Amino acid sequence: MSHNRFGHLFTITTWGESHGPALGAVVDGAPARLPISEADLQHWLDRRRPGQNRFTTQRQEPDAVKILSGVFEDPDTGAQVTTGTPIQLLIENTDQRSKDYGDIKDKYRPGHADYTYMEKYGVRDYRGGGRQSARETAARVAAGGIARKVLDGVTIRGALVQMGPHKINRDNWDWAEVENNPFWCPDKQAAAQWEDYLDGVRKAGSSCGAVIEIVASGVPVGWGAPVYGKLDADLAGAMMSINAVKGVEIGEGFGAAALTGEANADEMHADGAKASFDSNHAGGILGGISTGQDIVVRFAVKPTSSILTPRKTISRAGEETEIITKGRHDPCVGIRAVPVGEAMMACVLADHKLRHFGQRAGK
Amino acid sequence: MSHNRFGHLFTITTWGESHGPALGAVVDGAPARLPISEADLQHWLDRRRPGQNRFTTQRQEPDAVKILSGVFEDPDTGAQVTTGTPIQLLIENTDQRSKDYGDIKDKYRPGHADYTYMEKYGVRDYRGGGRQSARETAARVAAGGIARKVLDGVTIRGALVQMGPHKINRDNWDWAEVENNPFWCPDKQAAAQWEDYLDGVRKAGSSCGAVIEIVASGVPVGWGAPVYGKLDADLAGAMMSINAVKGVEIGEGFGAAALTGEANADEMHADGAKASFDSNHAGGILGGISTGQDIVVRFAVKPTSSILTPRKTISRAGEETEIITKGRHDPCVGIRAVPVGEAMMACVLADHKLRHFGQRAGK
Amino acid sequence: MSHNRFGHLFTITTWGESHGPALGAVVDGAPARLPISEADLQHWLDRRRPGQNRFTTQRQEPDAVKILSGVFEDPDTGAQVTTGTPIQLLIENTDQRSKDYGDIKDKYRPGHADYTYMEKYGVRDYRGGGRQSARETAARVAAGGIARKVLDGVTIRGALVQMGPHKINRDNWDWAEVENNPFWCPDKQAAAQWEDYLDGVRKAGSSCGAVIEIVASGVPVGWGAPVYGKLDADLAGAMMSINAVKGVEIGEGFGAAALTGEANADEMHADGAKASFDSNHAGGILGGISTGQDIVVRFAVKPTSSILTPRKTISRAGEETEIITKGRHDPCVGIRAVPVGEAMMACVLADHKLRHFGQRAGK
Amino acid sequence: MSHNRFGHLFTITTWGESHGPALGAVVDGAPARLPISEADLQHWLDRRRPGQNRFTTQRQEPDAVKILSGVFEDPDTGAQVTTGTPIQLLIENTDQRSKDYGDIKDKYRPGHADYTYMEKYGVRDYRGGGRQSARETAARVAAGGIARKVLDGVTIRGALVQMGPHKINRDNWDWAEVENNPFWCPDKQAAAQWEDYLDGVRKAGSSCGAVIEIVASGVPVGWGAPVYGKLDADLAGAMMSINAVKGVEIGEGFGAAALTGEANADEMHADGAKASFDSNHAGGILGGISTGQDIVVRFAVKPTSSILTPRKTISRAGEETEIITKGRHDPCVGIRAVPVGEAMMACVLADHKLRHFGQRAGK
């Protein structure tokens, strides 16, 4: 067990604080001879990168990833490939502005982990949230880029399906729209409305939450395992480990509680040697094992805890006080959680793919 | 990694199928000299036991747990205590009626894991669902009884807060009521209404889902860890690993998405050397670490997949057909998930308690 | 992590004390559809069983293993096969004679773990050594029987190569002789001499140590991994975990320290697409990865600590005293360690086989 | 499981190749508020550093370690301390001279892992041995420096006790001598003789093996656990994972096989509430748990495989050929294994210290 490690065969170990010299991830267990370059990973990091528009923090970080180990030229093709040994991904912190954070050195911000870290460890890097900063998710996104290489044939896409109280109209779902607005929103109309809504939130110095949906297509039937190594159990843990996430659901999710057994059953037809399903209430997982349908996960992100309205709190010395969190912050951190959720989906699936072939012993 | 193991320091490894000779759990890592008896564990198993009223399956199993190892007389008190070595819990299967299940040998039941198991393993014990049966949760409940011993000072309680589409009125919440109705319902009025509702579901040969809430009181601030060993991440995985669970949320959960940052912040006051909070939207966890407040988890259980309405499916041979699942089944499996959710909460907390003291190295 | 668990993908979790009602192992991760029966496993247990001749303890245990889970009829062949779910192996303790052990309740036997268990846990099952008893190795041997099924095509054999100070003559090595004497000795002449030697040891109420060699043939090149998951590192841990083992070596072992680099190098020739080696100083492992040659491991077992000569010790109350260990004991426990070493070799290789195919992701 | 990770609660994950841009280790699980600086770790690295005399490789690397994460100023003292989050240690590779290694691109060096890596992965970084290079042990030594901080009160020392066929005279053992010669030899006379011996080996372009002894003093009784989490089992795996190690023994080790039970028993006397022992054949461990005596481990290192005498081998294309390994190499790699063995002892003990307090749950 390692508190900062994720996965069993395809593992990621992340390290680093928001305002230290660098952060990164060690990715271990990837198969050998997967073509991989820094540019491949940078593609995914650029999607997560803040500072791209007025709705995300104005912190300007290039978030340039370097591969320090685990790659070499393929003996046949000469291309840079994985070697089967650990891959160290390093991202330097270049825009730290530590002076912004002096105020929170001694006060605990409500909704942040300041109080719990101090009570647990007796010390914390308070600059920018330190280890609790969402900046840690950059390492996940880089690692997810390697996981996607392991998952050749699987497509993983994410979308924001609710911003604050405003849900998309699922009838309008168009994956192509996701790239056309700053919210990863698949509903063109909702995106337009959210723009006004979020401007209001931002100007009020307030914040709002969101719900993200991640879909993996092309996963064959059979990945996953009973009963604690279930694919959905690992996905739930993976998504809940993302900063600010407060809920996770698979397929029909909480809505399944209100359905009858008849309505919830995904009926099957024959499709060659496999089954085809009439519906996907299960979200692509039965008994912890993939059905061959799309795997569908949603998770809820709470509103950004850093807001301009003063909130009552206590200091490290135990005195009652108030705090306003200035600085550069996203009014809706859920937006940037979309690429992170995709990365965690990729990491879980890559791990389960290897575990599946492990238990089959090559058959 | 072991597919059938849960936990890091306090670990449970369950084994067994619904209709084999027995099932059970190996509990490893419990501290030594905890007083423990079969009667202590039986108490929790009796709460989960089916056949107690017309709303749960009529399968009559005593579910008597035996402790085969890991206990001995305390050298000072003579009482039976844990010895620090693995504790094998064994529950014999005594009421198996295998003849009931002949029909499902070759047909895949929608909503069950029949198809996925066969595609993954090429073989399955189809009798009563085999390893995918909810009977596996008896082993969890027994193991949870040991976890509660580890958690001296922590109280863990569960309740059904929604049956089918019908939610409780939280203003009526009374923990004492939970023991007064067959649904673990904390709202006396809701319980009365649910009785009629569920009678209708049962008579129609249908089924319904449910939402369960588990609350742990008395957990001190500081348990848990960043960033993949988060308390909430482990709770999410634990609850999602329970049969038929499709969603998990902590504290405000999915509702947090619709709140503003101001509304969601749990403001703090000084309470001696600790903080007291004005609210608990966080569900007792910040940054993956317990705050000292109640830890609040909810999870959604889908409607029982075994119903009397014929559903379209395929056979192992790939032929299209229909299936009705007769036999003894709960119209709402969510009811029996309450003690299971309590047990998983106990196992997660016991594990994190040990991990916490491990990282502190005795300080 | 679990103190009583071994392996990563093919895992064994053993439980049980010498004089409790039963002991056993949960074997998790085995591939599905391996033909397996209780008789298959009993074959290996019978080899380990004490009471077969005057050189091993007269405790008469049938050591009958029961399979409680994880097997079912194959849908095509009808044969009993593994299902891919956990396999519980249970061995009842039938000949416990607890009265023999009353004397050691309060005194710590030198060379045994009595003192360390009490200091660590504050309680111990003193009957027959409790959890520290070599009886735990019966569970390993049963689990090893399943591992051998995973290792189709690999042959694992063990031999005693030294008893007390008396080594075999390796020029006399004949695997067929191993089954012809009570010592698993591959050297017919040495076996004859050991018989007299061990009679003397036994009559003197003394004991002696031994060195065991385990050889695995048929392991293909490529199993294992850098740098902490090395095949030899896992073998070293596995063998050292057997009761009373004090040393482990691979191939040339400690002898390699005295060789020159020229003498120690295993030169290679072409053998089709693979290498053939002129020698095997490496013991079949280079860089933690199998070479395709025989894997050769030796381990040293200390003399049985239970002897009839009084030894100075202390009581639980901290008083100085003496102790003689009567009861039924092997003058040379190393003999019974041969099947145990074979089982651990099998478990390590089965685990690494699965890990190898896991990292290859089906290629 | 992670192939490149070691430990359970105190974990090290190393990464990096000999001739990549850098290598390092992520150390996770260390308690918070341990004072730590780069200079603290550099002290241990400097002891391992090659190029210090004519007996170790002339590669000139400063091996300067940087701490990239997991440390911060203590809120009370202002000193730099651990924060309880992962510590990334990075060592840049500055003297790589890749041109030296072109010859081994296509030929497999006997005794090295060239052949096994290529057969397993199909690609390898052949420059300087890549991941199989002993340079990886620099990361272990740095991590060991942190482990020593966890082990306040424990002293860990190592010595070379045999070079080639030449053993020390244990009667001459003087720990102070270890720092006075280039071999970490505790026997002044032996050190003088080894100097001549090793000069001869070096001039002949040959190499020799060695035996190293590591001793930990001050470990209290009670660390470790049955039966697969034994302290000695973990030490055996740890030492065997070091490059070129072929054997490990605890206390009396292989010599125990030749002793009688009477001679091998470590008799006990009362020493307040604890035991004092008359001898330490056990090497400080009984039943996998520390006795409070010195923990004594020895391991054998094979002769350096890189020698100037041509050896028969095959090429990647499967053609038979010969190879001489020029370049900068140690005639006795065992010398540099001394600080590495110390580091692994420290890592195992730190991990077990945390595990011990974990299972005690703070008591």
Side-chain angles (χ1 to χ4, degrees):
Chain A
M1 178 197 62
S2 174
H3 292 324
N4 295 279
R5 195 170 66 98
F6 184 82
H8 299 274
L9 290 185
F10 179 87
T11 69
I12 62 172
T13 304
T14 69
W15 54 273
E17 282 82 31
S18 174
H19 284 58
L23 55 80
V26 184
V27 178
D28 196 13
R33 302 183 87 173
L34 300 174
I36 197 93
S37 70
E38 291 175 352
D40 291 336
L41 306 183
Q42 196 62 47
H43 169 74
W44 302 110
L45 274 166
D46 287 348
R47 287 166 59 93
R48 175 200 164 278
R49 189 155 54 95
Q52 296 177 313
N53 58 60
R54 71 183 182 280
F55 301 115
T56 53
T57 169
Q58 294 308 301
R59 178 169 171 160
Q60 297 292 343
E61 300 263 6
D63 276 354
V65 64
K66 292 180 190 169
I67 300 177
L68 296 190
S69 65
V71 298
F72 199 65
E73 60 196 46
D74 187 273
D76 292 330
T77 68
Q80 180 171 279
V81 295
T82 57
T83 59
T85 62
I87 303 165
Q88 172 64 273
L89 304 174
L90 183 135
I91 299 166
E92 291 180 8
N93 291 323
T94 54
D95 178 30
Q96 304 159 356
R97 294 202 211 172
S98 291
K99 59 182 177 295
D100 281 357
Y101 295 96
D103 190 39
I104 60 169
K105 180 177 176 180
D106 294 314
K107 293 182 181 178
Y108 300 142
R109 295 167 297 168
H112 282 284
D114 302 345
Y115 172 65
T116 55
Y117 267 60
M118 277 306 280
E119 287 289 318
K120 183 176 189 77
Y121 298 117
V123 57
R124 78 181 209 281
D125 184 345
Y126 48 77
R127 300 170 303 166
R131 182 70 182 149
Q132 31 158 321
S133 167
R135 221 175 131 53
E136 183 270 345
T137 60
R140 303 183 189 221
V141 170
I146 298 174
R148 287 178 193 256
K149 294 280 183 173
V150 178
L151 292 170
D152 190 37
V154 174
T155 302
I156 295 169
R157 292 180 291 191
L160 209 71
V161 297
Q162 180 181 335
M163 177 181 287
H166 306 294
K167 300 186 182 184
I168 62 162
N169 178 344
R170 299 185 76 91
D171 292 337
N172 295 344
W173 193 297
D174 179 358
W175 278 113
E177 281 301 321
V178 160
E179 308 287 336
N180 292 340
N181 61 71
F183 311 120
W184 315 107
C185 178
D187 172 356
K188 189 176 183 175
Q189 292 178 23
Q193 294 159 353
W194 292 356
E195 192 156 338
D196 290 340
Y197 167 73
L198 196 58
D199 261 334
V201 169
R202 185 172 57 85
K203 288 172 184 165
S206 183
S207 65
C208 67
V211 177
I212 290 93
E213 182 165 321
I214 311 289
V215 179
S217 306
V219 176
V221 58
W223 294 2
V227 297
Y228 303 107
K230 282 176 173 160
L231 192 48
D232 36 359
D234 281 355
L235 283 168
M239 299 307 171
M240 195 66 92
S241 79
I242 300 171
N243 306 47
V245 172
K246 300 304 287 183
V248 183
E249 57 185 13
I250 309 287
E252 199 65 34
F254 276 86
L259 294 182
T260 62
E262 301 87 280
N264 189 61
D266 298 316
E267 294 184 298
M268 285 179 265
H269 295 279
D271 181 13
K274 303 291 178 188
S276 77
F277 293 84
D278 288 348
S279 53
N280 189 13
H281 298 287
I285 303 173
L286 284 173
I289 298 171
S290 61
T291 64
Q293 293 184 280
D294 280 359
I295 293 179
V296 182
V297 180
R298 272 181 306 281
F299 58 92
V301 175
K302 70 179 182 183
T304 315
S305 297
S306 298
I307 49 177
L308 295 180
T309 306
R311 295 283 93 186
K312 291 177 186 166
T313 190
I314 61 172
S315 70
R316 183 179 163 241
E319 293 163 337
E320 302 201 338
T321 181
E322 287 196 338
I323 192 164
I324 297 174
T325 312
K326 296 175 189 167
R328 304 153 300 175
H329 296 292
D330 296 6
C332 178
V333 284
I335 300 170
R336 282 167 56 199
V338 175
V340 181
E342 289 177 1
M344 294 312 290
M345 173 72 92
C347 289
V348 170
L349 291 177
D351 189 37
H352 270 282
K353 179 178 180 180
L354 303 195
R355 289 156 79 176
H356 179 67
F357 284 103
Q359 191 171 13
R360 293 171 66 105
K363 287 171 189 168
Chain B
M1 178 199 62
S2 175
H3 293 324
N4 294 279
R5 195 170 67 98
F6 185 82
H8 300 272
L9 291 185
F10 179 86
T11 67
I12 63 172
T13 305
T14 69
W15 55 273
E17 282 82 31
S18 175
H19 284 60
L23 56 79
V26 183
V27 179
D28 196 13
R33 300 183 87 173
L34 300 173
I36 196 95
S37 70
E38 290 176 352
D40 289 337
L41 306 183
Q42 195 63 47
H43 169 74
W44 302 110
L45 274 167
D46 288 347
R47 287 166 59 94
R48 177 200 163 278
R49 188 154 56 92
Q52 297 175 314
N53 59 59
R54 70 182 182 280
F55 300 114
T56 52
T57 168
Q58 295 308 300
R59 179 168 168 160
Q60 297 292 343
E61 299 263 6
D63 275 355
V65 64
K66 292 179 190 171
I67 301 177
L68 296 190
S69 65
V71 297
F72 199 64
E73 60 195 47
D74 187 272
D76 292 331
T77 68
Q80 180 171 279
V81 296
T82 57
T83 59
T85 62
I87 302 166
Q88 172 63 274
L89 305 173
L90 183 134
I91 300 166
E92 291 181 7
N93 291 323
T94 55
D95 177 30
Q96 304 160 356
R97 294 202 210 173
S98 291
K99 61 182 176 294
D100 281 356
Y101 294 96
D103 190 40
I104 61 170
K105 179 176 177 182
D106 293 315
K107 292 182 183 179
Y108 299 142
R109 295 167 299 167
H112 283 284
D114 302 345
Y115 171 65
T116 54
Y117 267 59
M118 278 306 280
E119 286 289 320
K120 184 175 188 75
Y121 298 116
V123 57
R124 78 183 208 278
D125 183 346
Y126 49 76
R127 299 169 304 163
R131 182 70 183 149
Q132 31 158 321
S133 167
R135 223 177 127 52
E136 184 270 344
T137 61
R140 303 182 187 221
V141 170
I146 298 174
R148 287 179 194 255
K149 294 280 182 175
V150 177
L151 293 169
D152 192 35
V154 173
T155 302
I156 295 169
R157 291 181 291 192
L160 209 73
V161 298
Q162 180 182 335
M163 178 181 287
H166 307 294
K167 299 185 181 184
I168 63 163
N169 178 344
R170 298 186 78 91
D171 293 337
N172 295 344
W173 193 297
D174 179 358
W175 278 113
E177 280 302 320
V178 160
E179 308 287 336
N180 292 339
N181 61 71
F183 311 119
W184 316 107
C185 178
D187 172 355
K188 189 174 182 176
Q189 291 178 22
Q193 293 159 354
W194 291 357
E195 192 157 337
D196 289 340
Y197 167 73
L198 196 57
D199 260 334
V201 169
R202 185 172 57 83
K203 287 173 185 164
S206 182
S207 64
C208 68
V211 176
I212 290 94
E213 182 165 321
I214 311 289
V215 180
S217 306
V219 176
V221 58
W223 293 3
V227 298
Y228 303 106
K230 282 175 174 162
L231 192 49
D232 36 359
D234 282 355
L235 283 168
M239 298 307 170
M240 195 66 92
S241 79
I242 300 172
N243 306 49
V245 171
K246 300 304 287 183
V248 183
E249 57 184 14
I250 309 286
E252 200 64 34
F254 277 86
L259 295 182
T260 63
E262 302 87 281
N264 189 60
D266 298 315
E267 294 184 298
M268 285 178 265
H269 295 279
D271 182 13
K274 304 290 178 188
S276 79
F277 294 84
D278 288 349
S279 54
N280 189 14
H281 298 286
I285 302 173
L286 283 173
I289 299 172
S290 61
T291 64
Q293 294 184 278
D294 280 359
I295 294 179
V296 182
V297 179
R298 272 181 305 283
F299 58 92
V301 175
K302 69 179 183 183
T304 316
S305 296
S306 299
I307 48 177
L308 294 181
T309 306
R311 294 284 92 184
K312 291 177 186 166
T313 190
I314 60 172
S315 69
R316 183 180 163 239
E319 293 164 338
E320 303 201 337
T321 180
E322 288 196 339
I323 192 164
I324 297 174
T325 312
K326 296 176 189 166
R328 304 153 301 175
H329 295 292
D330 295 6
C332 178
V333 284
I335 299 170
R336 282 167 56 198
V338 175
V340 181
E342 290 178 2
M344 294 312 290
M345 172 73 91
C347 288
V348 170
L349 291 177
D351 189 36
H352 271 282
K353 179 177 180 180
L354 303 194
R355 289 156 78 176
H356 179 66
F357 284 104
Q359 192 171 14
R360 293 171 65 104
K363 286 175 190 165
Chain C
M1 179 198 61
S2 176
H3 293 323
N4 294 280
R5 196 171 66 98
F6 185 83
H8 299 273
L9 291 185
F10 179 86
T11 69
I12 62 173
T13 304
T14 69
W15 55 273
E17 282 82 31
S18 175
H19 285 59
L23 56 80
V26 183
V27 178
D28 196 13
R33 301 184 87 174
L34 300 173
I36 196 95
S37 70
E38 291 176 352
D40 290 337
L41 306 183
Q42 196 63 48
H43 170 74
W44 302 110
L45 274 167
D46 288 347
R47 287 166 59 94
R48 177 200 162 278
R49 188 155 54 93
Q52 296 176 313
N53 58 59
R54 72 181 181 281
F55 300 114
T56 54
T57 168
Q58 295 308 301
R59 179 169 169 159
Q60 297 291 344
E61 300 263 6
D63 276 355
V65 63
K66 292 180 190 170
I67 300 177
L68 296 190
S69 66
V71 297
F72 199 65
E73 59 195 47
D74 187 272
D76 292 331
T77 68
Q80 181 172 279
V81 295
T82 57
T83 60
T85 62
I87 303 165
Q88 172 64 272
L89 305 173
L90 182 135
I91 300 166
E92 292 181 7
N93 291 323
T94 54
D95 178 29
Q96 304 159 356
R97 293 202 212 173
S98 291
K99 60 183 175 297
D100 281 357
Y101 294 97
D103 190 39
I104 60 168
K105 180 177 176 181
D106 293 314
K107 292 182 183 179
Y108 300 141
R109 294 167 298 167
H112 283 284
D114 302 345
Y115 172 66
T116 54
Y117 267 59
M118 278 305 281
E119 287 290 319
K120 184 175 189 78
Y121 298 116
V123 57
R124 78 181 209 279
D125 184 346
Y126 48 78
R127 299 170 304 165
R131 182 69 182 150
Q132 30 159 320
S133 166
R135 223 177 127 52
E136 184 269 346
T137 60
R140 302 183 189 221
V141 170
I146 298 173
R148 288 178 194 255
K149 295 280 183 174
V150 177
L151 293 169
D152 191 35
V154 174
T155 302
I156 296 169
R157 293 181 289 191
L160 208 72
V161 297
Q162 180 181 335
M163 178 181 287
H166 306 294
K167 299 186 181 184
I168 62 161
N169 178 343
R170 299 185 77 92
D171 293 337
N172 295 342
W173 193 297
D174 179 357
W175 278 113
E177 280 301 320
V178 161
E179 308 286 336
N180 292 338
N181 61 72
F183 310 119
W184 316 107
C185 177
D187 172 355
K188 189 174 183 176
Q189 292 178 22
Q193 293 160 352
W194 291 358
E195 193 157 336
D196 289 340
Y197 167 73
L198 196 57
D199 260 334
V201 169
R202 185 172 57 84
K203 287 172 185 166
S206 183
S207 65
C208 68
V211 177
I212 290 94
E213 182 166 320
I214 311 289
V215 179
S217 306
V219 176
V221 57
W223 294 3
V227 296
Y228 304 106
K230 281 176 174 162
L231 192 50
D232 35 359
D234 281 355
L235 284 168
M239 299 307 169
M240 195 66 93
S241 79
I242 300 171
N243 306 51
V245 172
K246 301 304 288 183
V248 183
E249 56 184 15
I250 309 286
E252 199 65 35
F254 277 86
L259 295 182
T260 63
E262 301 87 279
N264 189 60
D266 298 316
E267 293 184 298
M268 284 179 266
H269 294 279
D271 181 13
K274 303 291 179 188
S276 78
F277 293 84
D278 288 348
S279 53
N280 190 13
H281 297 287
I285 302 172
L286 283 174
I289 299 172
S290 60
T291 63
Q293 293 184 279
D294 280 359
I295 293 180
V296 182
V297 180
R298 272 181 304 284
F299 58 93
V301 176
K302 70 180 182 183
T304 315
S305 296
S306 299
I307 48 176
L308 295 181
T309 306
R311 294 283 92 186
K312 290 177 187 165
T313 190
I314 60 172
S315 70
R316 183 180 163 239
E319 294 164 338
E320 303 201 337
T321 181
E322 288 195 337
I323 192 164
I324 296 174
T325 312
K326 296 176 190 167
R328 303 154 301 176
H329 295 293
D330 295 6
C332 178
V333 285
I335 299 170
R336 281 168 55 199
V338 175
V340 181
E342 290 177 1
M344 295 311 291
M345 172 73 91
C347 289
V348 170
L349 291 177
D351 189 36
H352 271 281
K353 179 178 180 180
L354 303 194
R355 289 156 77 176
H356 179 67
F357 284 104
Q359 192 172 12
R360 293 170 67 104
K363 286 173 189 165
Chain D
M1 179 198 61
S2 175
H3 293 323
N4 294 279
R5 196 170 66 99
F6 185 82
H8 299 273
L9 291 185
F10 179 88
T11 68
I12 62 172
T13 305
T14 69
W15 54 274
E17 282 82 31
S18 176
H19 284 58
L23 55 80
V26 183
V27 179
D28 196 13
R33 302 184 87 174
L34 300 174
I36 196 94
S37 71
E38 291 176 352
D40 290 337
L41 305 183
Q42 196 62 47
H43 170 74
W44 302 110
L45 275 167
D46 288 347
R47 288 165 58 94
R48 176 200 164 278
R49 189 154 54 93
Q52 296 175 313
N53 58 60
R54 72 182 182 277
F55 301 115
T56 52
T57 168
Q58 294 309 301
R59 179 167 169 161
Q60 296 292 343
E61 300 263 5
D63 275 355
V65 64
K66 292 179 189 169
I67 300 178
L68 296 189
S69 65
V71 297
F72 200 63
E73 59 195 48
D74 188 272
D76 293 331
T77 68
Q80 180 172 279
V81 296
T82 57
T83 60
T85 62
I87 303 165
Q88 172 64 272
L89 305 173
L90 183 135
I91 300 166
E92 292 181 7
N93 291 323
T94 55
D95 178 29
Q96 304 160 356
R97 292 203 213 172
S98 291
K99 60 183 177 295
D100 281 357
Y101 294 96
D103 190 40
I104 60 169
K105 179 177 176 181
D106 293 315
K107 292 182 184 180
Y108 300 142
R109 295 167 297 167
H112 283 285
D114 302 345
Y115 172 65
T116 55
Y117 267 60
M118 278 304 283
E119 287 289 320
K120 183 175 190 77
Y121 298 115
V123 57
R124 79 183 208 281
D125 184 344
Y126 49 77
R127 300 169 304 163
R131 181 70 183 150
Q132 31 159 321
S133 168
R135 223 176 128 53
E136 184 269 346
T137 61
R140 302 182 189 221
V141 170
I146 298 173
R148 288 178 193 255
K149 294 280 183 174
V150 178
L151 293 169
D152 191 35
V154 173
T155 302
I156 295 169
R157 292 180 290 193
L160 208 73
V161 297
Q162 180 181 334
M163 177 181 287
H166 306 294
K167 299 185 181 184
I168 62 163
N169 179 343
R170 299 184 77 90
D171 292 337
N172 295 344
W173 193 296
D174 179 357
W175 277 112
E177 281 300 321
V178 160
E179 308 287 336
N180 292 339
N181 61 70
F183 310 121
W184 315 107
C185 178
D187 172 356
K188 190 175 182 175
Q189 292 178 22
Q193 294 160 352
W194 292 357
E195 193 156 337
D196 289 340
Y197 167 73
L198 196 58
D199 261 333
V201 169
R202 185 173 57 84
K203 287 172 186 166
S206 181
S207 64
C208 68
V211 176
I212 290 94
E213 182 165 322
I214 311 290
V215 179
S217 306
V219 176
V221 58
W223 293 3
V227 297
Y228 303 106
K230 283 176 173 162
L231 192 49
D232 36 359
D234 281 355
L235 284 168
M239 299 308 169
M240 195 67 92
S241 78
I242 300 171
N243 307 48
V245 172
K246 300 303 288 183
V248 183
E249 57 184 14
I250 309 287
E252 200 64 35
F254 276 86
L259 294 182
T260 64
E262 300 88 278
N264 188 61
D266 298 316
E267 293 184 299
M268 285 179 263
H269 294 280
D271 181 12
K274 303 291 178 187
S276 78
F277 294 84
D278 288 348
S279 53
N280 189 13
H281 298 287
I285 302 172
L286 283 173
I289 299 170
S290 61
T291 63
Q293 294 184 278
D294 281 0
I295 294 180
V296 182
V297 180
R298 271 181 306 282
F299 58 92
V301 176
K302 70 180 182 182
T304 315
S305 296
S306 299
I307 49 176
L308 294 181
T309 306
R311 295 283 92 186
K312 291 177 186 164
T313 191
I314 60 173
S315 70
R316 184 181 162 239
E319 293 163 339
E320 302 201 338
T321 180
E322 287 195 340
I323 193 163
I324 297 174
T325 312
K326 296 177 190 166
R328 303 153 301 174
H329 295 292
D330 296 6
C332 179
V333 284
I335 299 170
R336 282 168 55 199
V338 175
V340 182
E342 290 177 2
M344 294 311 290
M345 172 72 90
C347 289
V348 170
L349 291 178
D351 189 37
H352 271 281
K353 180 178 180 178
L354 303 194
R355 289 156 78 176
H356 180 66
F357 284 104
Q359 192 171 14
R360 292 171 67 105
K363 288 174 188 166

